[in-house]
Amino acid sequence: LSRMKATQIARIVILTLAVASASCGSTVRQGTGTSFLIVNELEFARGNEPETFSANLLSDVITVVDDVPTFFNDLGRVTFSLGLKDPGPAGSPTQPTQNQFITVDRYHVRFFRADGRNTQGVDVPYEFDGAFTVTVGSSQAEAGFTIVRNIAKREAPLQALRTNGLILSTIAEITFYGRDQTGHEVVATARTSVDFANFGD
């Protein structure tokens, strides 16, 4: 082969490997099971008003109850459904089998800001892991979880908001982890806005 042809073949091989690698990475991220998790809805409630849910959260960093400063966990509520990677012909999707049911048992919360100032414990609260267990099958499933821990309201940067009158606007990224009934890992991520301040009681 001429040097030019050899160079062209080498470029084609490298390009082919790059495409194959990208495709493989996408497959790994999507999981190897035949079902996947869908986050249908997220709702949130302040800890001192646990029955009042809304699409976004105004987190009160301190609540005075009977003249006593109190710190509540803020709550989240998520609704899941299950999707199939090969749902069958249009108009007649197949129903999931029990092996395809997904059990969610852990979640991770990370806060970040749109301005890029994201140092944990300085600009935003620390990220954390939590747990609950719910199985998503042929119908929707709902679960409750903690979106803001009360300990975070006693730490920087939320502690300063008790007296400085400022509002800290963040985005909370919530990642849910689970497995189908044959052990294939499943991950789903959702986001919401969370504003922290001393909103008054």
Side-chain angles (χ1 to χ4, degrees), residues 153-166:
K153 299 178 181 183
R154 301 170 183 259
E155 300 172 336
L158 302 187
Q159 186 178 39
L161 300 179
R162 301 180 200 172
T163 56
N164 64 14
L166 299 178

Side-chain angles (χ1 to χ4, degrees), residues 74-149:
D74 294 317
L75 309 176
R77 185 167 64 190
V78 58
T79 303
F80 297 112
S81 63
L82 184 146
L84 299 178
K85 292 181 181 177
D86 186 13
S92 59
T94 58
Q95 290 295 312
T97 67
Q98 286 190 344
N99 284 348
Q100 293 171 314
F101 290 4
I102 295 172
T103 298
V104 183
D105 59 7
R106 184 169 67 87
Y107 69 96
H108 182 84
V109 179
R110 178 178 72 92
F111 297 96
F112 62 96
R113 290 168 42 166
D115 61 7
R117 297 175 57 186
N118 295 319
T119 302
Q120 296 183 45
V122 177
D123 304 308
V124 294
Y126 290 100
E127 58 190 297
F128 69 95
D129 289 284
F132 61 81
T133 299
V134 64
T135 297
V136 188
S138 54
S139 58
Q140 291 188 351
E142 183 180 281
F145 62 98
T146 296
I147 179 68
V148 180
R149 301 175 299 168

Side-chain angles (χ1 to χ4, degrees), residues 13-31:
V13 170
I14 291 171
L15 180 60
T16 302
L17 289 174
V19 171
S21 174
S23 176
C24 179
S26 177
T27 300
V28 170
R29 284 195 298 272
Q30 293 174 11

